[in-house]
Amino acid sequence: MAFRSAIRNNIALRGVFQQQYSLFHSNARVLAPKVVATRVLPQHAQARLKEQDFELVQWPEDSIMPRDKLLSDIKGAEGLLCVLGDKIDKELLEAAGPNLKVVTTMSVGYDHIDLATAKKNNVKVGYTPDVLTDATADLTVLLTLAAARKMKQGIRAAENGEWREWRPNWLCGYQFAGKTLGMVGMGRIGQAVANRLRAFGVDRVLYWGRSEKPELKGQAEFASMDQLLKESDYVVACCALTPETKELFDYDAFKKMKDTAIFANSARGAVVKQEDLVRALQENLIAGAGLDVTTPEPLPTDHPLFKLDNCVILPHIGSATIEAREVMGDICIDNITSGLKNEKLRCELNY
């Protein structure tokens, strides 16, 4: 009898333990922090993201997450991983509620995030600086070369049967040797672009920005915007979008440039007054332009810029290398995991 009673007691205790164990793990799952991701990350970063110990709510399509879906999913979230195309404004940040601890963007730029509301709500903001430098600099040089050497007309000529006999004056562009480069914005990307173009023979570099950089003495000359525009053969925008740089390149700016000058922009579309650029190219105030950024994005296919032979446009792919995007994904994951623990982010925006 005693033996049977002991067995019954053991079974009962085991049942209680299993119930408690099940309840504990059920609560653990419920209490796991919720993180919303508005895109699928590159292969290796995505695999790592899915291994994290949080409830992941992720938009599975290779497109912008619908606004109503994002507003719904963000409720109660503690973390948000977003990209440039997402509007992280007051409405969204308030919809998240008081649990939101961290927002990280898979970009260097953060003008799509309402920093004032994030600060008011004690939300840390992460981003992905430095990693994009080489990828963006490479593409900026590509755009500058493409515009200078009439790449758009050349490709079309080869495809459309205009390629006939050799002609002395056909599709002649401009070289870099002995020319002056004007960098508007001389941060990491600007300096990387200048270094690359020196290899093509550029022998003078002017730059304009918020302040002179003493470490560049002997390599580049700090100049006024007027001097840079008037003296440069190549004008390249790599600056941040600020109230000071918004629509910095307007008709007056293009009018000051040489009529043989090439303009390239891999910064932000809004640093250019776009209708003025159209007019400058139509009137041949400058020789050509290479753009990786526009306003809006994507640019409508019937926009006048697409109709111009002297304008090369790419769909904002400055950071589009496998190497860069994988590292960007890793930084975002690190930012999220640190933010959830109330720790300093790997790449935290101080604002």
Side-chain angles (χ1 to χ4, degrees):
M1 289 287 291
F3 178 72
R4 289 177 183 173
S5 176
I7 290 176
R8 281 197 298 270
N9 289 339
N10 187 42
I11 291 171
L13 286 170
R14 187 182 300 170
V16 170
F17 174 77
Q18 286 175 338
Q19 284 180 339
Q20 291 176 338
Y21 180 87
S22 177
L23 182 63
F24 172 80
H25 281 274
S26 174
N27 287 339
R29 283 194 294 273
V30 170
L31 295 174
K34 176 181 174 183
V35 172
V36 175
T38 65
R39 287 294 195 287
V40 174
L41 300 183
Q43 181 181 358
H44 298 296
Q46 176 65 19
R48 184 180 165 219
L49 179 67
K50 292 174 81 171
E51 292 171 355
Q52 300 306 305
D53 190 22
F54 48 65
E55 178 194 353
L56 178 63
V57 178
Q58 188 170 37
W59 178 243
E61 306 296 330
D62 190 21
S63 61
I64 291 176
M65 188 174 185
R67 180 71 176 180
D68 58 347
K69 173 73 172 163
L70 181 53
L71 284 169
S72 173
D73 286 351
I74 197 66
K75 291 175 183 175
E78 294 187 34
L80 171 62
L81 194 163
C82 65
V83 296
L84 270 176
D86 301 315
K87 190 177 181 183
I88 314 303
D89 56 6
K90 182 176 181 180
E91 180 189 27
L92 186 79
L93 293 169
E94 297 291 349
N99 290 338
L100 189 63
K101 296 179 178 179
V102 57
V103 172
T104 186
T105 179
M106 194 174 168
S107 61
V108 173
Y110 45 84
D111 46 278
H112 56 301
I113 301 173
D114 181 347
L115 296 181
T117 302
K119 186 172 186 177
K120 176 181 160 232
N121 293 359
N122 296 313
V123 176
K124 292 177 182 286
V125 176
Y127 66 135
T128 58
D130 301 337
V131 172
L132 316 180
T133 299
D134 287 331
T136 305
D138 289 348
L139 193 88
T140 305
V141 170
L142 170 67
L143 278 170
T144 310
L145 283 164
R149 293 301 302 270
K150 301 184 183 293
M151 192 69 66
K152 183 177 181 178
Q153 301 100 301
I155 290 171
R156 285 180 176 173
E159 292 175 345
N160 299 335
E162 298 170 41
W163 184 8
R164 306 194 315 271
E165 73 282 356
W166 184 84
R167 285 164 274 173
N169 298 307
W170 187 50
L171 293 179
C172 290
Y174 298 96
Q175 296 180 188
F176 289 81
K179 301 294 178 64
T180 296
L181 169 65
M183 294 299 311
V184 178
M186 200 59 157
R188 290 180 293 267
I189 294 172
Q191 291 180 48
V193 170
N195 289 338
R196 283 158 170 75
L197 286 176
R198 284 192 190 95
F200 284 87
V202 163
D203 64 3
R204 185 183 182 212
V205 178
L206 304 176
Y207 72 97
W208 176 87
R210 284 174 294 186
S211 60
E212 186 171 2
K213 295 179 179 289
E215 67 272 20
L216 296 180
K217 193 170 183 180
Q219 303 173 51
E221 305 168 38
F222 187 59
S224 68
M225 191 65 180
D226 273 5
Q227 181 191 0
L228 184 149
L229 294 172
K230 289 174 183 175
E231 297 182 13
S232 298
D233 298 292
Y234 298 94
V235 176
V236 179
C238 289
C239 53
L241 177 60
T242 65
E244 186 181 13
T245 61
K246 185 174 182 179
E247 297 189 344
L248 178 65
F249 292 95
D250 57 12
Y251 189 77
D252 286 339
F254 292 120
K255 201 158 57 170
K256 291 172 183 174
M257 292 166 63
K258 299 178 181 181
D259 60 9
T260 56
I262 298 295
F263 172 69
N265 183 16
S266 61
R268 285 286 179 272
V271 304
V272 177
K273 195 170 183 180
Q274 209 156 255
E275 60 270 27
D276 287 5
L277 174 59
V278 172
R279 185 180 166 197
L281 290 167
Q282 289 172 335
E283 296 176 4
N284 294 314
L285 292 184
I286 60 174
L291 311 174
D292 188 43
V293 287
T294 60
T295 304
E297 292 183 0
L299 193 65
T301 55
D302 61 351
H303 194 280
L305 283 173
F306 281 121
K307 297 176 172 63
L308 297 171
D309 283 340
N310 55 350
C311 186
V312 178
I313 302 174
L314 294 177
H316 201 157
I317 55 172
S319 67
T321 66
I322 292 168
E323 296 90 343
R325 293 282 171 88
E326 286 284 6
V327 177
M328 289 167 74
D330 274 335
I331 291 174
C332 284
I333 295 167
D334 289 344
N335 285 343
I336 289 286
T337 54
S338 294
L340 295 178
K341 299 173 189 171
N342 296 311
E343 297 173 353
K344 183 171 176 58
L345 310 188
R346 174 175 169 182
C347 294
E348 184 170 340
L349 190 63
N350 297 313
Y351 63 99

